[in-house]
Amino acid sequence: MQPVSRLPGVLNDDELDLPAPGAVRVAIRAGDDENARDFLYEIPNDIVTPYYVPGLLRAVLTGPQLYSSSDVDDVMGMTLIRLRPEEIAPQPEPEQGRALTVVQALSGPGDDEDPLLIGFLMHGDGLLRLYLQRTDRPGIIGADIRLTETPDTALIASLASLVEEEQYREPAPDDPHCDLLVDLTNW
């Protein structure tokens, strides 16, 4: 048997020999080191897809919850809580999390020498301004995108070519951080 890590993580029925057929288990440590408690949330994977797991956990971890004694157990010193996804309304990802997803998608490991994304600014109402610099052109381009529930992967993948299209470009007199603005909020 492998040693058990006490760090938060996702455990499935193949890792650490935890019996959870048909379910995913997520381990979370709550509290400071001396007062910490470990919780193991079990989510049936025949009811929800992996996409909904973060939203379910956000809903469960936002405040006190009541569980039936049949849904609570002890496993390896952790409090096991069997979740009933059909009774939980998943919480949407916060705006900052959606912005982080976009920024991470535009910041690949090979971008250190020649980054396209050189900065960003969240400026209310679900808008994110990305500051982009092309190596083949002088100046900085500010590209405004709307942060939706699920970031538009087509927009992210097409960003480098979209900022070159004249129909989206306009001067940037109110932003001292860029030379041109590209409005992709309705793309």
Side-chain angles (χ1 to χ4, degrees):
M1 183 175 220
Q2 299 171 338
V4 176
S5 169
R6 295 305 227 179
L7 298 175
V10 177
L11 310 172
N12 64 32
D13 49 352
D14 296 324
E15 296 175 316
L16 305 177
D17 297 324
L18 291 175
V24 171
R25 288 183 172 175
V26 180
I28 296 180
R29 174 167 274 193
D32 298 333
D33 285 339
E34 58 192 46
N35 298 317
R37 292 197 54 200
D38 295 324
F39 294 89
L40 193 57
Y41 291 93
E42 184 175 287
I43 304 166
N45 59 15
D46 60 342
I47 296 175
V48 297
T49 62
Y51 174 81
Y52 290 101
V53 171
L56 290 172
L57 289 173
R58 274 192 293 277
V60 169
L61 298 173
T62 56
Q65 306 291 323
L66 298 174
Y67 300 102
S68 163
S69 60
S70 63
D71 292 330
V72 179
D73 208 342
D74 187 66
V75 174
M76 299 171 61
M78 295 180 271
T79 302
L80 170 68
I81 301 171
R82 291 177 193 88
L83 298 180
R84 298 173 186 260
E86 64 278 5
E87 298 172 9
I88 302 169
Q91 295 289 316
E93 183 175 21
E95 191 173 87
Q96 295 84 355
R98 295 190 307 264
L100 179 61
T101 300
V102 171
V103 169
Q104 286 176 328
L106 291 171
S107 304
D111 293 343
D112 291 342
E113 294 176 19
D114 187 20
L116 173 65
L117 177 69
I118 60 170
F120 63 95
L121 171 69
M122 292 181 65
H123 57 104
D125 296 328
L127 297 178
L128 177 66
R129 179 162 294 165
L130 303 166
Y131 293 99
L132 310 167
Q133 189 169 31
R134 306 270 317 224
T135 57
D136 56 344
R137 294 194 175 211
I140 296 173
I141 300 168
D144 287 338
I145 66 169
R146 190 165 306 285
L147 294 169
T148 58
E149 285 291 320
T150 53
D152 189 341
T153 54
L155 172 62
I156 294 168
S158 304
L159 194 60
S161 60
L162 286 171
V163 297
E164 295 299 320
E165 293 187 25
E166 292 295 326
Q167 67 187 12
Y168 299 118
R169 293 175 150 215
E170 59 187 61
D174 297 335
D175 189 339
H177 304 106
C178 60
D179 303 302
L180 286 172
L181 277 178
V182 175
D183 184 0
L184 300 174
T185 56
N186 294 317
W187 193 82

Coordinates of all heavy atoms in Angstrom, one line a residue, residues 3 31 47 57 66 83 92 110 160 164 166:
P3 N 1.9 5.2 0.7 CA 1.6 6.1 1.8 C 0.5 7.1 1.5 O 0.4 7.5 0.3 CB 3.0 6.8 2.1 CG 3.7 6.7 0.8 CD 3.2 5.4 0.2
G31 N -8.7 23.9 8.1 CA -8.2 24.4 9.3 C -6.7 24.5 9.3 O -6.0 24.1 8.4
I47 N -23.7 9.6 -11.7 CA -24.8 10.6 -11.6 C -24.3 11.9 -12.3 O -25.1 12.6 -12.9 CB -25.3 10.9 -10.2 CG1 -25.9 9.6 -9.6 CG2 -26.2 12.1 -10.1 CD1 -26.3 9.7 -8.2
L57 N -18.5 20.9 -5.3 CA -17.6 21.1 -4.1 C -17.7 22.6 -3.7 O -17.7 22.9 -2.5 CB -16.2 20.8 -4.5 CG -15.9 19.3 -4.6 CD1 -14.5 19.0 -5.0 CD2 -16.2 18.6 -3.2
L66 N -25.8 20.0 6.4 CA -26.4 18.9 7.2 C -26.4 17.6 6.4 O -26.8 17.6 5.2 CB -27.8 19.3 7.7 CG -28.0 20.5 8.5 CD1 -29.4 20.8 8.8 CD2 -27.2 20.3 9.8
L83 N -21.8 12.5 -0.9 CA -22.6 13.6 -1.4 C -23.7 13.0 -2.3 O -23.6 12.0 -2.9 CB -21.8 14.6 -2.2 CG -20.7 15.3 -1.4 CD1 -20.0 16.3 -2.3 CD2 -21.3 16.0 -0.2
P92 N -21.6 28.2 -9.7 CA -20.7 28.6 -10.8 C -19.3 29.0 -10.4 O -19.1 29.5 -9.3 CB -21.5 29.7 -11.5 CG -22.3 30.3 -10.4 CD -22.6 29.2 -9.5
G110 N 6.1 27.1 -23.2 CA 7.1 27.5 -24.2 C 7.0 29.0 -24.5 O 7.7 29.6 -25.3
A160 N -4.7 35.1 -31.4 CA -3.5 35.7 -32.1 C -3.9 36.2 -33.5 O -3.4 37.2 -33.9 CB -2.4 34.7 -32.2
E164 N -5.4 40.7 -35.3 CA -4.8 41.3 -36.6 C -5.9 41.8 -37.5 O -5.7 42.5 -38.4 CB -4.0 40.2 -37.3 CG -2.7 39.8 -36.5 CD -1.8 41.0 -36.3 OE1 -1.6 41.8 -37.2 OE2 -1.2 41.1 -35.2
E166 N -8.7 44.0 -38.9 CA -9.0 45.5 -38.8 C -10.4 45.8 -38.3 O -10.6 46.8 -37.6 CB -8.8 46.1 -40.2 CG -7.4 46.1 -40.7 CD -6.5 47.0 -39.9 OE1 -6.9 48.0 -39.3 OE2 -5.3 46.6 -39.8

